[in-house]
Amino acid sequence: MDIARLEAIARGCRVQIERMLTHAGSGHPGGSNSVADLLVALYFGRLRVDPKRPDWPDRDRVILSKGHAVPALYAAMSRAGFFPESQLISLRKLGSPLQGHPDRNALPGIEAATGSLGQGLSIALGEALGLKMAGSPARVYCILGDGEIQEGQVWEAAMSGPKLGQPSHPLDNLCAILDYNKIQLDGFVTDILDLEPVVAKWQAFGWAVQEIDGHNFAQIGKALDQAEATKGKPSFIVANTVKGKGVPWMENNPEWHGKAPKPQEAIRAIRDLLGVSEAAWDEYLTRDSATKAVVDELAALEKT
Amino acid sequence: MAAKATRAAFGEALIDLGAKDPRIVTLDSDLSKSTMTVSFAKKYPDRAFNVGIAEANMIGVAAGLAMAGKVPFAASFACFLVGRFETIRISVAYTNANVKLVGTHVGVAIGEDGYSQMGLEDIACIRALPNIPIIQPADEVECKQVIAYAAEHQGPLYLRLTRQNLEPVSPAGYQFRLGQWARLRDGSDVTVIASGGTVFNALEAAQQLEGDGIRAEVINAASIKPLDEEMLLASARKTGHVVTVEDHSIAGGLGGAVSEALCEALPTAMKRLGVQGFGESGDPKGLYVKHGLDATGIARSVRKFLGR
């Protein structure tokens, strides 16, 4: 898939992230926006999945271990056809399959219950191993947060990954991706518990490590190709990202880790995401009816 | 039939089941010689995974294997396994992953190793989680049936197994069923509900009590969650006095579960026997005497409870 198209899809997903978080009144915009490009790169042109058969045994799996960024996953899944876009605004509402953190039993296509940080990579190891034993061609992708890898269980899994299944079933069907946006809930990762040297650490644990710009679709695609071509060991991609990517006043700001925008803030964020000036906005909306509908819906939210 | 530890029966049952069911795999965290999965690992090396001393990862890997269609038995000492509660809570229970969690070395009966190795709060922890039944077999026959049941049961389970040998208690023709208890002895004065390592002692206590003219009904409660409410209420209605006996903390275990059920459905005079405080090193028999879980101790507590 060409890069301009992936960028357009990612922009659309980020618009949906602002929309759904504002309707929910809570959630995590910063980490959703930082991971969005990685998820779009996976769901559009990479994953072998069929939204009509979410339980297809040989499907590729995505485990979003940093479960708080699930709005980005819901946006990508809905765009990919797993459920209608209209359902996105049920996020975090009573009875909705779009739980505040991923629930495997609530929404078909969610592969693991995550959000309790540190658990996803172990699950990914087990799935990758089980798929290998079954002779399945499926691949497993696990997306970790940077703050998340401060959890001890991640390092148990890190030590286990290159060894598990050897020699007959090495986990080269597994690719873990670190959404390295440098900010966690309480502040900057370097101030709370620095991860560096993070590339050297995963290399030392025996993973095939690459480091990329996690917002550059060419680099993401190439790294995923190389992970697929790597044999005998699991891959680990350190994706350098920007927290709140796409909304200038959210970028690199710890304040937007876990706070939903208000309707007017969301509208401004959407305008910034689309790169439209304030002066040109009204005129722009006359030409983009889909965005206008989202904006009207958000504006109505403020009145209620 | 000779006395046998339920962990040993578990190891033997796995080998038989493994031959019939290729989905079965085992996971260990460097205790396979103690949990007795080592024989399965020798027979099926491609289906046994020792992940090192990393229980949380072991539980997560088991969940992943289950999602890929395997039937994983993840074993460790009960305290180390259930100690990774948050991983069990999300990766197994909430996920409804088809993982069989096997906690061995339960209770003060492990003896000399002392408190840090004793599973004493595991029932209380797992009871709080939706989705996970808790089963504690009382002898070899029952244990092998329980393991076969576990392999067929769709969804997570927690199995509680002993280090020490257990005397046979199951009647001829016994068949384990989840949510069903076994009445091992009829009585009319008091209901003694025991589980796992204390069942044989409860039977011996009942014999001692008979000498005093006290007719104790003895029930083996292998299915701790769910309880057999039908049998519980019928027996409590008959005797009016219920005693629970378990090698587990007095808080939150079998006694806790029975109390909760009775207090809502049929308030009944109750006495819970179990471990108070932390465990400690010592010979297992001495520890059972200290905590009143030996036959004489149980009989003494029952007499006092009945005021006779």
Side-chain angles (χ1 to χ4, degrees):
Chain A
M1 191 171 284
D2 71 84
I3 284 173
R5 181 152 160 66
L6 288 171
E7 284 171 348
I9 293 171
R11 213 162 25 245
C13 285
R14 287 193 171 94
V15 168
Q16 294 299 336
I17 289 167
E18 304 306 332
R19 177 192 179 210
M20 56 204 296
L21 286 174
T22 305
H23 278 270
S26 63
H28 301 81
S32 298
N33 279 336
S34 69
V35 81
D37 294 325
L38 297 168
L39 286 167
V40 167
L42 286 171
Y43 275 88
F44 299 90
R46 177 69 49 175
L47 294 180
R48 298 167 64 248
V49 291
D50 180 355
K52 286 178 192 66
R53 286 188 299 158
D55 55 357
W56 174 34
D58 285 338
R59 71 192 181 280
D60 291 341
R61 272 78 162 165
V62 172
I63 294 173
L64 183 65
S65 193
K66 48 169 289 185
H68 57 281
V70 74
L73 179 58
Y74 291 150
M77 286 174 68
S78 132
R79 179 76 180 244
F82 281 86
F83 56 88
E85 211 161 66
S86 58
Q87 210 172 343
L88 286 174
I89 56 170
S90 71
L91 171 72
R92 292 177 168 242
K93 299 276 201 286
L94 191 62
S96 171
L98 276 63
Q99 290 288 292
H101 291 79
D103 176 358
R104 184 173 194 267
N105 298 311
L107 184 67
I110 294 290
E111 296 291 355
T114 54
S116 173
L117 296 176
Q119 300 188 30
L121 189 57
S122 300
I123 296 171
L125 295 184
E127 276 228 76
L129 175 60
L131 289 165
K132 267 288 177 100
M133 291 170 77
S136 169
R139 292 184 62 73
V140 178
Y141 296 92
C142 177
I143 302 181
L144 299 153
D146 47 10
E148 174 178 26
I149 71 169
Q150 293 161 350
E151 287 278 4
Q153 188 182 333
V154 172
W155 297 97
E156 294 183 0
M159 214 183 317
S160 181
K163 188 287 172 177
L164 196 62
Q166 297 280 9
S168 44
H169 303 301
L171 303 189
D172 46 24
N173 56 344
L174 170 66
C175 177
I177 306 171
L178 181 68
D179 177 16
Y180 196 7
N181 64 31
K182 324 288 190 296
I183 292 174
Q184 55 191 111
L185 191 147
D186 273 340
F188 291 92
V189 173
T190 46
D191 292 335
I192 292 171
L193 182 59
D194 198 2
L195 310 174
E196 290 299 331
V198 74
V199 168
K201 280 176 186 161
W202 287 86
Q203 278 170 340
F205 277 71
W207 295 63
V209 185
Q210 307 175 64
E211 186 175 13
I212 60 163
D213 174 347
H215 300 305
N216 180 318
F217 282 105
Q219 288 189 30
I220 299 170
K222 215 173 124 203
L224 294 174
D225 285 343
Q226 194 176 318
E228 273 194 69
T230 299
K231 296 296 164 210
K233 55 165 83 169
S235 283
F236 193 91
I237 298 173
V238 175
N240 289 297
T241 57
V242 174
K243 191 116 175 179
K245 173 73 178 177
V247 181
W249 40 277
M250 283 187 180
E251 286 184 3
N252 290 315
N253 184 353
E255 202 186 314
W256 289 100
H257 168 88
K259 183 177 81 170
K262 301 265 187 296
Q264 282 309 320
E265 290 172 328
I267 292 168
R268 201 176 122 218
I270 290 168
R271 184 167 62 70
D272 286 339
L273 281 166
L274 299 176
V276 182
S277 72
E278 196 169 355
W281 185 232
D282 288 343
E283 190 273 330
Y284 171 84
L285 288 178
T286 63
R287 288 181 283 115
D288 182 347
S289 59
T291 302
K292 181 161 191 328
V294 170
V295 166
D296 288 349
E297 189 190 63
L298 285 166
L301 206 57
E302 193 158 57
K303 290 179 194 115
T304 56
Chain B
M1 192 173 265
K4 183 174 278 185
T6 43
R7 61 173 171 147
F10 161 63
E12 292 169 9
L14 269 187
I15 293 177
D16 293 344
L17 288 168
K20 288 180 226 151
D21 189 345
R23 299 174 307 157
I24 292 177
V25 297
T26 60
L27 290 111
D28 277 281
S29 41
D30 195 42
L31 284 172
S32 68
K33 289 177 189 163
S34 302
T35 63
M36 299 287 190
T37 54
V38 63
S39 321
F40 181 92
K42 277 188 187 135
K43 183 137 188 215
Y44 309 104
D46 292 342
R47 291 156 62 188
F49 305 98
N50 195 330
V51 300
I53 306 171
E55 292 84 5
N57 185 52
M58 173 180 78
I59 294 162
V61 168
L65 280 162
M67 289 183 220
K70 301 293 176 197
V71 178
F73 283 77
S76 184
F77 286 12
C79 53
F80 308 144
L81 189 72
V82 179
R84 276 63 186 174
F85 181 73
E86 176 58 14
T87 305
I88 295 174
R89 176 174 170 264
I90 299 297
S91 292
V92 177
Y94 186 48
T95 301
N96 199 25
N98 193 22
V99 172
K100 317 306 167 184
L101 297 166
V102 183
T104 68
H105 292 64
V106 301
V108 295
I110 70 160
E112 290 77 1
D113 270 341
Y115 175 70
S116 75
Q117 317 294 300
M118 293 171 171
L120 283 172
E121 304 85 7
D122 51 314
I123 297 176
C125 293
I126 301 290
R127 267 190 67 217
L129 294 174
N131 260 0
I132 309 191
I134 302 171
I135 309 172
Q136 173 167 246
D139 67 7
E140 176 186 355
V141 166
E142 185 170 54
C143 184
K144 287 183 171 171
Q145 293 183 8
V146 164
I147 304 305
Y149 173 81
E152 290 302 318
H153 175 89
Q154 182 59 42
L157 279 176
Y158 177 61
L159 308 177
R160 193 170 196 262
L161 306 182
T162 64
R163 171 181 184 270
Q164 79 273 25
N165 289 331
L166 300 182
E167 295 291 340
V169 293
S170 294
Y174 172 72
Q175 179 56 53
F176 167 81
R177 285 187 185 83
L178 188 68
Q180 281 189 22
W181 292 348
R183 187 183 295 104
L184 300 182
R185 184 184 173 109
D186 283 320
S188 50
D189 298 325
V190 61
T191 302
V192 179
I193 304 171
S195 185
T198 58
V199 174
F200 182 76
N201 299 358
L203 282 169
E204 284 202 312
Q207 207 136 18
Q208 292 181 17
L209 290 165
E210 190 162 85
D212 304 331
I214 297 170
R215 296 168 53 83
E217 179 144 298
V218 179
I219 290 172
N220 170 21
S223 183
I224 293 173
K225 182 183 158 199
L227 301 173
D228 184 343
E229 292 216 21
E230 201 180 314
M231 184 176 287
L232 171 63
L233 296 183
S235 187
R237 203 168 281 123
K238 178 168 67 173
T239 65
H241 294 85
V242 173
V243 179
T244 55
V245 191
E246 61 189 317
D247 191 354
H248 178 275
S249 164
I250 197 91
L254 173 67
V258 167
S259 306
E260 288 169 19
L262 281 181
C263 128
E264 283 191 351
L266 183 70
T268 305
M270 255 204 84
K271 178 68 192 167
R272 291 168 300 136
L273 304 181
V275 178
Q276 312 240 21
F278 296 106
E280 65 194 295
S281 289
D283 71 286
K285 284 200 164 57
L287 282 161
Y288 263 36
V289 170
K290 175 169 178 174
H291 288 278
L293 298 173
D294 60 320
T296 304
I298 296 167
R300 186 175 57 241
S301 293
V302 169
R303 277 188 218 100
K304 193 174 165 202
F305 174 54
L306 297 177
R308 291 164 67 171

